Amino acid sequence: MNIRILLLAGVFAIAGCSTTAVPLGYQPAPGVSLQQGQAIVQVGKFVDARKVDPYHLGAIRGGLGNALKTLVAQAPVADVFRDGFSQALAARGMLRNGSDGPYVLAATVLKFDCNQFVRREAHAEILVTLTETGSGRTVMTDTFRTDLVRNPNDLFDAGVFASTEDLRLLAMEALHDVIDAALDSPKLKLALADGTKPS
């Protein structure tokens, strides 16, 4: 009897092993999309410093911690964040296309992952730098982080039965949260306000 149970568990584990490339994008909240700011920020270089595969996101894991369903991004994570910041700046009316913007916003992705053992988790951490284009002077640098944890509604929503879509949505929420935290931070707003004051 025990052998049959072990064999059945092995079949489920093998059947569940898969890799899914998932889309991640930034969609502004309704209030954000109505904002009109000054188009003074161009997007600079984004670097992935996570020391993993540039597409890696995470996995739904089995009882031994083994990856049953692996999630990867459809584009390198550095590009996902760069595109997200571009969309978020555009939604705020702050994005300056081209290379003549007064400010350049760059970032280093320190952490971005999502996993489910029992609970679903997603984490994001970025180091954001704002540089004055004319002088090359760094006018702001700060780290922003978000950690999200969700308990599945269904006790059977785990292992091979867990949804990669639910985990993707949590990863996307972490992406949104950390981008919004950076662009809506008082420190960034102050740096931009000081730079646009008449001399």
Side-chain angles (χ1 to χ4, degrees):
M1 183 68 174
N2 288 339
I3 293 175
R4 288 182 180 176
I5 293 173
L6 288 172
L7 287 173
L8 186 60
V11 169
F12 272 119
I14 293 169
C17 290
S18 62
T19 298
T20 304
V22 297
L24 295 169
Y26 179 88
Q27 294 293 329
V32 170
S33 61
L34 299 175
Q35 295 182 20
Q36 292 296 322
Q38 291 181 286
I40 57 174
V41 180
Q42 64 190 60
V43 178
K45 186 175 182 181
F46 276 60
V47 175
D48 184 355
R50 298 176 305 151
K51 298 182 180 177
V52 295
D53 183 271
Y55 293 84
H56 174 79
L57 295 176
I60 294 170
R61 303 187 178 278
L64 300 176
N66 53 312
L68 299 176
K69 301 177 184 180
T70 300
L71 274 72
V72 296
Q74 290 181 340
V77 163
D79 293 346
V80 169
F81 272 84
R82 191 178 193 278
D83 291 346
F85 267 91
S86 295
Q87 292 160 357
L89 285 165
R92 289 163 171 80
M94 297 165 62
L95 180 65
R96 180 71 160 261
N97 291 312
S99 58
D100 63 340
Y103 294 96
V104 177
L105 186 146
T108 300
V109 181
L110 303 174
K111 187 172 188 177
F112 186 54
D113 60 60
C114 59
N115 285 282
Q116 179 174 350
F117 180 60
V118 176
R119 302 184 305 176
R120 282 188 287 271
E121 298 187 16
H123 310 275
E125 184 177 7
I126 53 171
L127 174 65
V128 175
T129 302
L130 186 70
T131 304
E132 197 174 54
T133 307
S135 65
R137 181 174 63 95
T138 298
V139 295
M140 189 220 75
T141 183
D142 205 353
T143 302
F144 301 90
R145 181 183 177 110
T146 186
D147 298 286
L148 304 178
V149 179
R150 299 285 187 275
N151 289 312
N153 295 325
D154 188 339
L155 291 175
F156 294 99
D157 185 10
V160 294
F161 302 107
S163 165
T164 56
E165 175 63 7
D166 289 340
L167 192 55
R168 179 192 77 85
L169 290 173
L170 192 63
M172 197 161 66
E173 185 179 341
L175 175 74
H176 286 199
D177 285 357
V178 80
I179 290 174
D180 288 342
L183 294 186
D184 297 333
S185 71
K187 195 170 180 180
L188 179 69
K189 289 182 178 180
L190 181 62
L192 293 172
D194 286 345
T196 54
K197 288 178 181 175
S199 53

